[in-house]
Amino acid sequence: DAKTTQPNSMESNEEEPVHLPCNHSTISGTDYIHWYRQLPSQGPEYVIHGLTSNVNNRMASLAIAEDRKSSTLILHRATLRDAAVYYCIRQGGSEKLVFGKGTKLTVNP
Amino acid sequence: GAVVSQHPSRVICKSGTSVKIECRSLDFQATTMFWYRQFPKQSLMLMATSNEGSKATYEQGVEKDKFLINHASLTLSTLTVTSAHPEDSSFYICSAHEDSSIKNTEAFFGQGTRLTVV
């Protein structure tokens, strides 16, 4: 049970921002929100994670709703290399990362 | 960043034989590693948690006698698929955390091992 809900797929145009949503309505107060992405035939790659506050790094930004029941991964300027499956994961007390189905992002040139 | 390396990246074996997959943390020590399996067009499925110096913890439905995990050192975990059959053909991926505290830290994943059983 991945405990997060994401759209199956999304499309974006190159050099435009992308907002990838994730619902985690049953999240508990100590659960972290992680995002990973996976290119075909490769292992997943870490993108970003957070608890309550919005987070920024060189790859992306993570906007977490005030009630923490949803979050949005923001890619500020999509490139063709950003085309991947993006996984939003709730990391609970067991600390294991349990992957859901993710969102397949297509970036159009 | 930290690197996790898997070997081999691709293997083909005959039905009934055993295959060993290695997962190494190259520049850090990992007391805990995780093993996943991924079938085509599906998500990663967590198989087991590998603990250095102790028995692995398997997820529900994963046969521990079929998927043998050994975590003999702080930088190496191995997954052996015993008596492999075609239905075991899959993409096997390991991960590790650089920090001994797994929560609130990023996981580093290996590049995966494509197993084909013929």
Side-chain angles (χ1 to χ4, degrees):
Chain A
D1 181 8
K3 301 177 183 176
T4 63
T5 304
Q6 299 177 252
N8 290 332
S9 62
M10 290 186 66
E11 274 194 50
S12 173
N13 295 320
E14 201 174 7
E15 298 190 4
E16 290 184 355
V18 182
H19 290 232
L20 298 167
C22 179
N23 285 322
H24 28 79
S25 58
T26 60
I27 196 168
S28 71
T30 56
D31 291 352
Y32 282 84
I33 301 155
H34 287 250
W35 284 82
Y36 287 78
R37 69 182 185 183
Q38 185 182 26
L39 277 65
S41 299
Q42 294 187 26
E45 173 189 31
Y46 170 80
V47 178
I48 201 167
H49 78 283
L51 183 61
T52 56
S53 304
N54 294 343
V55 185
N56 299 296
N57 65 22
R58 63 176 177 80
M59 287 183 70
S61 295
L62 175 60
I64 302 172
E66 198 168 329
D67 63 6
R68 301 212 325 125
K69 293 184 177 182
S70 65
S71 61
T72 302
L73 178 70
I74 303 166
L75 306 179
H76 296 285
R77 287 183 70 216
T79 68
L80 296 178
R81 289 176 296 178
D82 291 323
V85 178
Y86 286 78
Y87 296 99
C88 168
I89 302 168
R90 226 181 82 184
Q91 187 188 39
S94 70
E95 303 181 336
K96 296 180 287 190
L97 296 177
V98 178
F99 286 72
K101 295 182 179 179
T103 297
K104 183 176 182 179
L105 175 66
T106 301
V107 180
N108 301 313
Chain B
V3 176
V4 172
S5 178
Q6 277 184 246
H7 178 81
S9 58
R10 187 180 296 267
V11 59
I12 300 173
C13 72
K14 291 184 177 181
S15 187
T17 62
S18 296
V19 174
K20 180 184 285 188
I21 302 170
E22 293 185 347
C23 178
R24 293 181 185 273
S25 55
L26 295 188
D27 48 3
F28 66 98
Q29 295 182 331
T31 54
T32 303
M33 292 182 175
F34 298 90
W35 286 96
Y36 295 83
R37 179 168 58 177
Q38 186 175 32
F39 292 108
K41 299 190 184 300
Q42 293 187 24
S43 183
L44 284 77
M45 186 197 81
L46 180 64
M47 298 176 68
T49 303
S50 173
N51 304 298
E52 188 269 334
S54 64
K55 291 183 179 180
T57 305
Y58 291 83
E59 295 298 304
Q60 191 173 8
V62 178
E63 300 175 59
K64 62 180 181 180
D65 294 330
K66 179 160 185 69
F67 299 100
L68 301 180
I69 292 173
N70 183 23
H71 196 151
S73 78
L74 288 171
T75 59
L76 174 64
S77 175
T78 60
L79 168 69
T80 301
V81 183
T82 62
S83 187
H85 290 285
E87 57 265 31
D88 298 322
S89 298
S90 189
F91 192 50
Y92 292 87
I93 308 168
C94 68
S95 75
H97 293 251
E98 194 171 13
D99 198 296
S100 59
S101 171
I102 295 172
K103 203 163 185 179
N104 192 23
T105 62
E106 67 178 277
F108 296 94
F109 287 82
Q111 72 271 36
T113 297
R114 176 80 58 194
L115 170 63
T116 303
V117 185
V118 297

